[in-house]
Structure formats: C-alpha cells, structure tokens
Amino acid sequence: LEEAAFQLQQIFRIDISIALNILGIESMRAGHCRVAFTCFKLAADRGYSKAQFNVGLCYEHGRGTGKDLEKAGFYYCQAASSCHPMAQYRYARYLLQHGPGSLWDRHHKAVALLEQAAVAGVTEAQAYLGVFYMRGLQPQEKRGLKYLLLAANSGDAQSRYHVGVCYEQGLGVQQNLAEALRHYRQSAAAGNRQARERLRA
C-alpha cells in the first residue's frame, strides 16, 4: 500500500510538472513571458528536465526574468544531468564560454556533453563538434568530417559548406573536386552565401 501511494505521488508530481511546463509554453507563445517563467520555474523546481531547460532559456535570453548567464548555466546543468540533449548542448556552450573551474576541466566536460548531444541527434552539437575537431590545436579531421556530415544530413547548410571545403582541400577525406562541387551546390541551394561565393570562385 505504501509503495502504491508513493507511485501515485510520483505520477501526480510528474503530471503537475508536465502541465505547468505546457502552460508555460502556451503563455510564452501568447507573449506573457513573466507568467511563462513562473510556470517553468515551478515545474523545474519539481525536477522536470524540460522545464529546467526552459528556465535556462529564460535566464539566458532575459525572457520573463532578468538575464543571468550563471543561473541559465545552473538550470542547463540540471536538465543535462537528466540527459536532456538540447540542455547538454547549451550547458556545453556555457562551460566553454563562461563556466567555472579550470579551462581543461571545462573543456573536457563540454566535449563529452557535446558528444552526447550529437549522438542524440542535436544538429547544433554535430555542427559545433565538426568545426571544433577541424580547427582544434590538434585537428582530428576524420572525426570532424563525421560530425559535419551528420549535421549536413540533418539540413544544416553551413555544415554542408564545410563538407565541401573538406572535399576540396582533402581534409579527413581524399580530395575530390566533383564531390566538393556537389556539396557546395547543395549548400548554396539551401541559401548559404559562402557556398555561393565558393561556386563563383
């Protein structure tokens, strides 16, 4: 009986959090940012990762509350620890730009989070890692190309342009100008200005 009561409490707690988060999303769409933030915060403080992510966004962009990157980082961290992929990406970016601790520790943790988000299908994380591995102090071109291709195949025109550069210059792959042109054309067709300029050149 005690176990059943505990399970009911958990379900009720989760349902309330989901409802508050949905109410927050609808309020944000209607332009009621303060109400939205309050709803997100109530659900976040109950441990609901989607709401924690939304609170992080509110703090990062100053929607319904004052801008506070440290608090945004805190809530992204909370959601990321529950394996929320976009929160993993946002928290990784926060760590690289503003996070506490030594640069090496932040860097190591951020890359691990970006890898998790990329594997979960977050295009932004795939694109970020692709460029990161291409331009690092010790470039890992094959690894970078792998992530750029993932992002490009998810519709990211900038990553498609970078894949073209890889084929043109032989970075992480055998040089192939015909393949480079194909990627540049696809990127340009999706509106990428750099790809259009590269095609003209």
Side-chain angles (χ1 to χ4, degrees):
L1 192 62
E2 278 180 30
E3 179 63 24
F6 176 75
Q7 292 296 331
L8 278 172
Q9 278 182 322
Q10 293 299 99
I11 291 165
F12 180 71
R13 192 166 157 253
I14 291 166
D15 285 349
I16 289 291
S17 299
I18 292 169
L20 283 166
N21 193 57
I22 291 168
L23 188 59
I25 291 167
E26 294 304 316
S27 298
M28 191 64 79
R29 283 187 185 140
H32 306 301
C33 297
R34 281 181 185 259
V35 173
F37 174 74
T38 302
C39 292
F40 292 146
K41 184 87 166 53
L42 285 167
D45 292 343
R46 289 170 166 267
Y48 188 52
S49 64
K50 289 182 181 180
Q52 290 166 337
F53 174 71
N54 288 331
V55 170
L57 286 175
C58 288
Y59 276 124
E60 183 179 358
H61 300 289
R63 292 187 193 138
T65 187
K67 230 182 204 190
D68 189 325
L69 291 179
E70 199 171 312
K71 285 182 180 174
F74 172 80
Y75 280 97
Y76 287 147
C77 177
Q78 296 287 302
S81 67
S82 296
C83 298
H84 187 291
M86 273 305 290
Q88 290 170 330
Y89 167 69
R90 294 273 185 171
Y91 187 52
R93 294 286 306 269
Y94 168 79
L95 285 173
L96 289 170
Q97 296 166 9
H98 312 285
S102 75
L103 183 61
W104 170 252
D105 288 342
R106 287 183 359 229
H107 182 272
H108 188 69
K109 189 171 184 177
V111 169
L113 287 166
L114 285 167
E115 294 265 4
Q116 289 172 38
V119 168
V122 176
T123 305
E124 295 91 330
Q126 294 164 347
Y128 194 95
L129 274 175
V131 173
F132 175 83
Y133 283 127
M134 285 290 177
R135 294 184 179 165
L137 293 173
Q138 296 176 313
Q140 299 176 48
E141 293 167 354
K142 284 187 178 179
R143 202 169 193 178
L145 179 61
K146 177 186 105 170
Y147 284 111
L148 288 173
L149 277 167
L150 283 172
N153 292 336
S154 295
D156 185 55
Q158 185 65 26
S159 292
R160 181 70 66 193
Y161 163 76
H162 287 305
V163 170
V165 171
C166 290
Y167 275 102
E168 183 181 1
Q169 298 178 6
L171 302 171
V173 69
Q174 190 170 345
Q175 189 177 32
N176 185 329
L177 296 181
E179 194 66 9
L181 275 171
R182 186 175 75 80
H183 288 287
Y184 287 146
R185 284 191 187 113
Q186 286 180 10
S187 180
N192 186 275
R193 182 182 50 82
Q194 289 175 293
R196 284 197 299 266
E197 289 171 3
R198 199 77 204 98
L199 283 169
R200 278 198 295 269

